Amino acid sequence: MATSYKPFISNCFIQRRLSHLSQKSPHFNLPHFPTFKQPLKKILPGLPLPIDVQKTMTDAAAKLLEAFVDSFFEFVDQPLLPSQSNFAPVEELGEAILVTSIQGSIPDDFPEGVYIRNGPNPVFGGLKSTNSIFGRSSHIWVEGEGMLHAIYFKRSSQGSWKVLYNNKHVETDTYKIEKQLSKPSFLPAIEGDSLAILSAYLLNWLRFGKVNKYISNTNVFEHSGKFYSVAENHIPQEIDIFTLKTVRNWNVNGAWDRPFTSHPKKAPGTGELVTLGVAPTKPFAVAGIISADGEKLVQKVDLQLNRCTLCHEIGVTKRYIVIMDFPLTIDLNRLLRGGRIGILPRYGDANSIKWFEVEPNCTFHIINSFEDGHEAMRGCSSLDSLIPGPNLSLKEYEGLSRCHEWRLNMHSGEVKEKDICGGNVVYMDFPVINGNFIGMRNRYAYTQVVDPIASSNQGAPKYGGLAKLYFEESCKGDKEKAEEAVRVECHMFEKNTFCSGAAFVPIEGGLEEDDGWIIAFVHNEDTNISEVHIIDAKKFSGEVVTKITMPRRVPYGFHGAFMQISFQAQEHNSVYHQQTP
C-alpha cells in the first residue's frame, strides 16, 4: 500500500515569544564573511600606475595601517573565573602520546578508530580584548581557533588495545596569518562598544581582506574516506586524520565558493553529502549536494530567501532536505517574530520548497528528520541562547533548550508541535543518534544534559550528564502510550564534572539501533583531570564501562565524532608502534 509523507522533526525546544540571540551562546556561530582587499587602481580609478609603484604604495599603506593599529589598539588578556578554568586554551602536543591510565577495559567488540572532538582554543594565551580611542571590544569564546582532540583506538594482533592521544590547531588561512605575524592581529568585531566594533570591522577588512577569523572550531565530519573540520563561517578544511595536520581548504574542486554548514548530512540511499551555505548578501542561502565520491557538486540551489538568517544545521530524509529558517539577529532590541521550516525535494528548486510556519524558537540542532506517512521531524531548540543567572526560578530557565517535535503535513500544510519530554523538564542539547539511521525513523537519541546552576555565570553552558531518549516509549515505560512524554534515561556525572563532544559508537554488525556505546570527553573541575568515558548504550544509567585518564587537560568544546579507520595504511608511521613502557 502506498504511503504519503509528512516531514517529522524533533528538537530541544523552548516556547517563549520574545527572544534575542545571546552573544555569549556556546553555539553563536553566526557567519562573519570575508570581504576582499581592493586593488589600488580600483580604489583610485583612472590612476595609471605601474605595477611596481602600485606594490610599493600598497605595502606602504599596509605598514601605515599596522602602525596605526599598534599605536591605538592595545590587546589585553580576558581574565577567567576559577569556575571557567577549563575554558582556557592548551598548547599543542606536537605528536601523539601513549595513554596508559585506563580504568575498566575497552570492550572486545569496540571498533578500531578515532574519537575526535573540535572546539575553540585561542592562540597567544587566550581570548583577547582591545582598548582603543574608539572604545573596547572583545573576542567571545566561540571565536577561539579550532583545535582537534583525538583519541586513537588501535588493536594489536594479540587482541590487546593501544590508545594514543593527540591535539592540534586547525590551520585556517587566518590562523596562518596571525602565526606568521607572531601576535594577535585580528581586532575583535562582535562584542563591545559600537564604534570599536565598527572600526575593527573596517581595519580588519583593510588589512586582511577579511572581517573576522575563520575559526573552523565546531564539528568534524567524514565524506568519501576523507575528514574535514568546519565552522559555518567558511569552507571546510581537509584534515589528515592520523596526524591532524591541515591538508587544504575543501571547495569541491572549485564548485563551492561559500560558507558551509557545520552539520552537513549524508543522504540516505545515495551517500551524497547535503550542505547549506548562508551569507549576509544575496544569495542569502544556497543548498548544495555533493557526489558520494566527493568530487562533484551535483546540485546547487539558491533558496531565494529575502534576508540572512542563522542556519546552523540542515536535515535530510530519503526524498527531502529540511531547511530551518529562523530570523535571528544579534540586535538585542529585535523581537523574535516567528520561524518557518522549509521542505525541499532532494533535487528540487526554490519554487518546489514547501514552507511551514512554526512557533518562535531558536533551533541549533536537529535530532533527526525522517518520513512518517505525510510527516517529518525532531530536534533540540530553545527560544534564545541565554544562560540564566544565579538564583533564578525554574520557570526562568526556559531559555535553555529541550526536545521538541514538529509534524509537518506535506498534503494539508498542517503543523503539529509538542515538547517531547512534556512536564518532565530536562534541559539538553548536542543530540546524537546512531549514524546509520540519519534520515530514517529512529527509536533513540542521546543528548548532553545542561546543569543550569553551573552554567549560570559562565557565558557558555556546562553539561553535567547525558540522556537517552526512548521515542517509542512513554515516560511510564508504556510503548502503547508513546504519544505522551517520552521516556528519558539519564547518566549523570559526579559533582562539578562536565562533558563535551558526546558521540555514538555503533557495534559493527549490531542487530539493534542501540547496540553500541556513547563516548565523551569528561572533565572534573575539582581535580582538574580530564577523562574519556565509554558508556554502554543499552545499560545507559549504569556504571561507566571504561574511563581513560587523559595525559593532558582537554578544554570544553563542541561536537565530537567517532570515525572507524584502518591503521594498516599508517604502519610506516612509528607513532602508532610505540610500546607501553
Side-chain angles (χ1 to χ4, degrees), residues 553-572:
R553 179 175 64 85
V554 178
Y556 300 129
F558 294 140
H559 295 280
F562 186 90
M563 317 286 197
Q564 290 196 38
I565 56 177
S566 171
F567 292 92
Q568 292 181 356
Q570 294 293 317
E571 290 300 312
H572 65 280

Side-chain angles (χ1 to χ4, degrees), residues 136-157:
R136 184 181 179 94
S137 65
S138 301
H139 286 129
I140 59 177
W141 180 54
V142 299
E143 290 185 276
E145 286 79 2
M147 175 175 274
L148 303 174
H149 297 266
I151 291 284
Y152 299 91
F153 295 87
K154 182 178 184 297
R155 194 193 301 270
S156 71
S157 57

Side-chain angles (χ1 to χ4, degrees), residues 290-526:
I290 299 167
S291 61
D293 63 7
E295 295 298 320
K296 297 178 182 178
L297 185 67
V298 298
Q299 177 84 336
K300 189 176 183 180
V301 179
D302 177 2
L303 302 183
Q304 298 183 10
L305 300 186
N306 59 9
R307 52 171 165 68
C308 178
T309 186
L310 172 59
C311 297
H312 178 72
E313 183 158 17
I314 194 168
V316 296
T317 73
K318 289 182 179 179
R319 294 181 292 167
Y320 295 91
I321 299 172
V322 180
I323 310 295
M324 311 294 283
D325 177 31
F326 300 128
L328 302 182
T329 74
I330 59 172
D331 182 354
L332 303 186
N333 298 312
R334 176 173 176 164
L335 303 182
L336 183 63
R337 299 185 181 276
R340 61 180 185 166
I341 298 173
I343 307 298
L344 169 68
R346 178 83 60 83
Y347 303 104
D349 59 20
N351 294 325
S352 63
I353 302 176
K354 188 173 183 66
W355 291 104
F356 296 84
E357 300 298 322
V358 298
E359 290 292 324
N361 68 93
C362 170
T363 298
F364 284 113
H365 297 124
I366 295 171
I367 293 175
N368 198 19
S369 312
F370 57 87
E371 301 175 26
D372 180 21
H374 302 288
E375 301 177 342
M377 73 181 201
R378 300 185 183 119
C380 273
S381 95
S382 71
L383 263 202
D384 48 26
S385 298
L386 294 172
I387 303 302
N391 304 317
L392 295 185
S393 68
L394 181 63
K395 183 177 180 180
E396 289 173 291
Y397 284 130
E398 290 195 347
L400 297 171
S401 61
R402 58 183 189 253
C403 290
H404 195 72
E405 174 182 298
W406 296 269
R407 286 189 173 268
L408 314 174
N409 191 305
M410 292 292 287
H411 284 187
S412 68
E414 181 183 14
V415 177
K416 296 180 182 178
E417 304 186 41
K418 70 174 183 178
D419 276 353
I420 294 173
C421 299
N424 301 312
V425 177
V426 180
Y427 301 110
M428 58 185 80
D429 207 341
F430 289 81
V432 296
I433 67 171
N434 183 330
N436 296 319
F437 288 80
I438 290 175
M440 298 182 289
R441 188 179 185 93
N442 63 306
R443 298 176 59 189
Y444 310 105
Y446 309 86
T447 64
Q448 297 176 185
V449 178
V450 180
D451 183 328
I453 302 298
S455 303
S456 61
N457 63 350
Q458 306 305 311
K462 291 181 178 180
Y463 299 92
L466 299 161
K468 179 180 181 180
L469 286 75
Y470 294 75
F471 296 124
E472 295 185 3
E473 295 183 32
S474 74
C475 60
K476 300 176 183 179
D478 188 344
K479 294 185 179 180
E480 299 300 322
K481 297 182 179 180
E483 290 301 315
E484 299 178 0
V486 303
R487 177 187 169 198
V488 178
E489 183 180 5
C490 289
H491 179 104
M492 304 306 294
F493 306 121
E494 59 190 60
K495 185 179 178 181
N496 292 330
T497 301
F498 308 99
C499 72
S500 66
F504 184 83
V505 184
I507 293 177
E508 192 169 0
L511 299 178
E512 297 183 331
E513 182 186 333
D514 59 349
D515 281 340
W517 303 269
I518 291 294
I519 188 169
F521 281 102
V522 175
H523 184 77
N524 185 309
E525 295 188 350
D526 292 333

Side-chain angles (χ1 to χ4, degrees), residues 134 136 192-199:
F134 305 107
R136 184 181 179 94
D193 298 325
S194 297
L195 191 57
I197 292 174
L198 181 62
S199 63

